[in-house]
Amino acid sequence: MDRFLTIVERGGNALPHPATLFALLALAVVVMSWLASMAGLSVAHPSTGSLVEPVNLLSIDGLHRMLTGAVTNFTGFAPLGVVLVALIGIGVAEHSGLIGASLRLLVLAAPRFLLTPVLVFAGVMSNMASEIGYVLLVPLGALIFISAGRHPILGMAAVFAGVSGGYSANLLIGTIDPLLSGLSQEAARIVDADYTVSPLANWYFMIASTPVITLLGWFVTEKIVAPRFADSAVPSLTLADGASPEDQQLSPAERRGMKYAAVTLLVFTALVFWGGYPAAGASLFDGALQLPQIPGSGFLLDERQDVLRSPLLSGVVVIIFLYGVLAGIAFGVGAGTIKSDSDVIKGMSASMATLGGYLVLVFFAAQFVAFFNWTQLGLIFAVEGADFLKALGLPTIPLFICFILLTAVVNLFMGSASAKWALMAPVFIPMFMLLGYSPEMTQVAYRVGDSVTNIISPMMSYFALIIAFFQRYEPKAGIGTLVATMLPYSMVFLIGWSAMFGLWIWLELPIGPDSPLHYIPAAPVAG
């Protein structure tokens, strides 16, 4: 294991910064377009039958296109706007203290025998709010377990497994969903220029994954990890942190803020439901059950009154923004953490201040994706790759299990989910589309593989922080301690989640609203 980790660490450190990597890849695409053009590569488009040839960017026309398109490549990059809008709203909720108070209330209200599953579940739910689970919930898990007379590393491991290993399971939509769906949409349009991938593309699968990851995390903590600490002394709270879990209880002001936020969320949810309820009434079970009409409803739907294709779902990122802003302001007013509009803007600005590195990364990623699309190399590789996979004759489930394993291995060397997907989506989404599998299905397989090895990847951005938390209670703990503790979670999550994915596909269940498993290309236009 030590030799393997050494190889992983050296391989990961040898990689350049992700922004640099995308800049180099963009340059490589330019060179590849010239080589492919000189070699005369071409394929027949699977839908139209027309000849697809590579576009040489290493030419006068190509140079002009790269120079004039750099800014619009960046500003028009699909994930950029949706991530910024969603983070502004969540920034208010986080800055006001609402998210932290909600997680503390969830964990501290749980009975002792349910502490482990509640910690895993809280970890899973926290990943909708960026780093809050790592910086708040992981150390809180240690305090909770000490109060129950158990080793603190068990509590931290359970939370970390939920936050990072269960990164793609949640009952709600987070900022990663519009980000990944935007990248998937860009890649899908290599094959189908009008294809749209919703931020809700994997929601049903995510909801079902949440109890699965919670139960698997509970099992691993109690049956595999806990016995390793059975003979270890439980450290004193005063020696470790000088605080007790009771200090984490909500103050009267925070409780008042929670009441204000709850009322606000109920009112806003009722408003959204009213606007999204069809004006003619809704029907269930293929029309067998007709629900009553609601006066004035349907104002968030278009003339078709189709919820799945409505402005409501198309604008779900703005809905997330409004939920975060309204609930954050309500909590802040009640708790006294927001006293003026300046505090609200400060919360929004704080979330934006963390995105400097992301914006730089997006600039180079956008150029790489645009260059890749312009050259038509993605479509050429997809057609050739689809032909190769067809020749292998692998059934659907084994094929996607192989893709999950590939993603899990790549994640050990490249930690950013969005950076990896920006690299992999333009190749694998068109490839699987040409085999008849939808971008939504490919995306959810990627998310499973990307999540399960987060907890053992030295490239994960919070890996060093978790080691520091471990060292509070085990001063000699290092990377080996962390990986040895978390490896059972990674293996069980990989097996259990892959089995769930295979069962899901076998049952032909939808993975999200209006998100089919299979891709059926539009019929070519005659003439």
Side-chain angles (χ1 to χ4, degrees), residues 7 23 56 60 81 139 146 208 223 259 288 325 363 390 501:
I7 293 172
N56 181 14
I60 298 298
I146 291 178
K223 300 299 182 182
K259 292 178 182 178
V325 169
F363 175 79
K390 286 178 182 176
F501 177 82

Side-chain angles (χ1 to χ4, degrees), residues 251-267:
S251 66
E254 287 177 319
R255 292 187 180 277
R256 182 170 59 251
M258 292 295 289
K259 292 178 182 178
Y260 285 20
V263 172
T264 301
L265 289 175
L266 285 174
V267 172

